[in-house]
């Protein structure tokens, strides 16, 4: 993905020197190597020493239609829960969701959306594109009310300690969890009415744009797993969307109950293995803040479901929408490590550059007749080695970093185990625990067909 970097004597910077296939030259690869060393994000471009516009993205229309051959689904064994505050709901995202997920897999749709100032317009928009089985417009609660409810069974002292570690734009993830649980209730009501349970449950947020159909057809009958998109982990697990076997769906959709019951909160106050801070780690010597991704990761530990996690490349990206207008005309404020950074929306209307490059890379290969596969999947290999690149400048060294970040989380002891790794090591969207330490842990990925054009992979 990149090349060994040379540190400049005057300041932290990197030169690129790498031999790559010609096809790869047009891709921008953004490597976050300075988020711990400095308070801003640095871009490293693969093969080019200066910033360029990605030619492949120029050919991406506002709502692309990528034709993908997917085996027909058996009946309505797929349910989809759409949740959101309502402020980021738009036609483009809904149309892409219908074209790439709902129609392709004959999914029954359930939706819980925040009640806006124009509820009739919201209902019409969702019915126009998704024709949901059940739809609820949920009143929006104040931040103070939501936080009061989130405290649940915790003592006043424990809640105050945890509250200081939590981060999120007005704690919207708590509201999202409430709506996910409401949506799961709607789904279960439908199951009672129809006398049969769904096989797969898909959970999505309202502002996701879908570039291509995800591989749901390979997840049917694959066993009881929770399929989490690769990347965008931010010290935990990507929580933008999920595909879960019905028997395991509660770990995702009932996070609100798990959190307010108290056990998950107590776990967060006693995170193992210096997961949030470690004085030996120069790169993360300050205490990090806990976000929704980190809490999701710990939920799997608390419930003993780490072995049920599988990853796969994502085909969905967060789109800039009305909900980002508060942050200016072209960006959104993202807080991951205790500092505020500005994520500029791309010219195509996406929020996170790395996320859209990953998803577009998948979509473009599907368009070139690559196919999803659960056999012989890729093992992700990041070059240069993360520990050589970052930890070589740290006093504790590469060996300590690899042992602390990759080996300790695998221990059976509760004092060390963490199926999402330690945030103190991997506070990043691209450099994640599963990518760096476990080759991605992909249960499904892509492969070229025998008759397709066999070009070298850039990813």
């Amino acid at each position: 993905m990149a090349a060994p970097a040379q540190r400049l004597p005057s300041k932290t910077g990197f030169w690129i020197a790498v031999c790559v296939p010609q096809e790869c030259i047009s891709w921008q690869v953004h490597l976050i190597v300075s988020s711990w060393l400095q308070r801003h994000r640095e871009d490293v471009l693969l093969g080019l020493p200066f910033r360029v516009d990605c030619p492949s993205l120029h050919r991406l229309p506002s709502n692309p239609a990528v034709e993908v051959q997917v085996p027909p689904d058996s009946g309505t064994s797929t349910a989809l829960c759409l949740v959101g505050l309502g402020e980021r709901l738009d036609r483009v995202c809904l149309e892409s969701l219908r074209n790439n997920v709902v129609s392709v897999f004959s999914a029954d749709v359930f939706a819980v959306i925040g009640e806006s100032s124009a509820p009739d317009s919201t209902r019409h928009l969702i019915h126009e594109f998704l024709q949901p089985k059940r739809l609820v417009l949920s009143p929006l609660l104040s931040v103070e009310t939501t936080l009061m409810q989130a405290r649940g069974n915790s003592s006043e002292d424990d809640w105050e300690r945890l509250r200081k570690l939590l981060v999120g734009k007005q704690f919207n993830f708590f509201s999202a969890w409430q709506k996910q649980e409401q949506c799961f209730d709607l789904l279960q009501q439908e199951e009672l009415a129809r006398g049969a349970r769904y096989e797969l449950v898909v959970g999505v947020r309202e502002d996701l744009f879908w570039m291509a159909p995800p591989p749901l057809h390979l997840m049917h009958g694959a066993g009881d797993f929770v399929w989490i998109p690769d990347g965008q982990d931010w010290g935990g697990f990507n929580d933008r969307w999920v595909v879960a076997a019905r028997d395991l769906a509660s770990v995702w959709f009932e996070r609100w109950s798990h959190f307010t019951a108290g056990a998950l909160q107590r776990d967060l106050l006693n995170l193992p293995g210096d997961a949030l801070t470690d004085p030996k780690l120069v790169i993360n010597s300050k205490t990090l803040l806990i976000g929704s991704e980190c809490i999701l990761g710990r939920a799997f530990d608390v419930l003993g479901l780490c072995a049920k996690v599988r990853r796969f490349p994502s085909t969905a990206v967060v789109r800039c929408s009305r909900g980002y207008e508060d942050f200016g005309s072209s960006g959104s404020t993202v807080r991951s490590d205790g500092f505020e950074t500005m994520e500029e929306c791309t010219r195509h209307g996406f929020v996170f550059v790395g996320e859209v490059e990953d998803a577009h890379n998948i979509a473009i290969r599907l368009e070139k007749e690559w196919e999803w596969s659960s056999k012989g999947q890729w093992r992700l290999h990041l070059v240069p080695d993360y520990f050589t690149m970052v930890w070589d400048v740290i006093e504790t060294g590469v060996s300590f970093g690899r042992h602390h970040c990759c080996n300790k989380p695998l221990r059976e002891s509760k004092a060390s185990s963490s199926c999402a790794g330690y945030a103190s090591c991997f506070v990043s969207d691209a450099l994640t625990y599963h990518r760096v330490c476990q080759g991605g842990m992909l249960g499904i990925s892509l492969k070229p067909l025998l008759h397709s054009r066999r070009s070298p992979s850039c990813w």
Side-chain angles (χ1 to χ4, degrees), residues 337-350:
D337 59 355
F339 303 115
E340 287 196 0
T341 60
M342 182 63 70
E343 294 282 354
E344 292 290 338
C345 292
T346 73
R347 67 174 60 193
H348 305 282
F350 302 117

Side-chain angles (χ1 to χ4, degrees), residues 335-388:
R335 297 191 64 183
S336 59
D337 59 355
F339 303 115
E340 287 196 0
T341 60
M342 182 63 70
E343 294 282 354
E344 292 290 338
C345 292
T346 73
R347 67 174 60 193
H348 305 282
F350 302 117
V351 181
F352 301 100
V353 174
E355 182 183 47
V356 68
E357 287 174 345
D358 283 349
H360 183 257
N361 213 345
I362 297 303
I364 203 69
R365 277 160 177 74
L366 290 171
E367 191 178 43
K368 291 181 179 180
E369 297 185 302
W370 289 47
E371 66 177 7
W372 292 110
S373 174
S374 58
K375 299 178 181 179
Q377 61 269 19
W378 297 344
R379 181 175 174 84
L380 303 183
H381 180 62
L382 302 186
V383 178
D385 175 70
Y386 162 71
F387 297 102
T388 302

Side-chain angles (χ1 to χ4, degrees), residues 286-302:
K286 67 166 292 181
T287 299
L288 305 173
L289 300 179
I290 298 174
S292 179
E293 294 89 351
C294 182
I295 298 174
L296 176 62
R298 293 310 304 172
F300 280 89
D301 282 288
V302 171

